[in-house]
């Protein structure tokens, strides 16, 4: 519905973005990751719920990736983490 310009659907997605932001930002500020990846099916709606989240990530200096193909990022993060531990 948001894709067709429905104002209520767009407003709902923006509110969803606020909820995601409020839930994630404390963890991002504490953990300080290099990058946050939004992936899977939810990434298809990123443009509708992302404006405020992008703003907060920019403030924290955290890079952002949005992809439907998450396995690449999961494996990359695992290899990096285990390299730090065992390398």
């Amino acid at each position: 519905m948001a894709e067709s310009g429905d104002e209520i659907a767009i407003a709902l997605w923006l509110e969803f973005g606020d909820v995601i932001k409020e839930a994630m930002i404390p963890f991002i500020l504490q953990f300080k990751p290099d990058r946050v990846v939004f992936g899977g099916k939810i990434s298809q709606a990123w443009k509708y719920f992302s404006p405020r989240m992008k703003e907060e990530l920019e403030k924290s200096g955290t890079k952002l990736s949005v992809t439907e193909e998450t396995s690449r990022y999961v494996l990359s993060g695992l290899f990096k983490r285990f390299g730090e531990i065992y390398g």
Side-chain angles (χ1 to χ4, degrees), residues 8-55:
I8 294 173
I10 292 169
L12 183 63
W13 276 113
L14 286 172
E15 188 172 329
F16 174 77
D18 285 341
V19 170
I20 295 291
K21 177 189 77 171
E22 295 300 319
M24 290 187 65
I25 290 300
F27 293 101
I28 291 169
L29 293 176
Q30 183 178 4
F31 182 66
K32 298 180 179 128
D34 295 331
R35 179 177 307 270
V36 170
V37 179
F38 278 87
K41 293 290 185 184
I42 195 69
S43 67
Q44 295 172 357
W46 174 252
K47 64 184 175 185
Y48 297 111
F49 72 87
S50 65
R52 296 175 185 120
M53 184 67 171
K54 285 194 295 192
E55 199 175 282

Side-chain angles (χ1 to χ4, degrees), residues 60-71:
S60 74
T62 304
K63 294 178 185 172
L64 170 71
S65 294
V66 179
T67 181
E68 289 183 43
E69 189 60 42
T70 56
S71 54

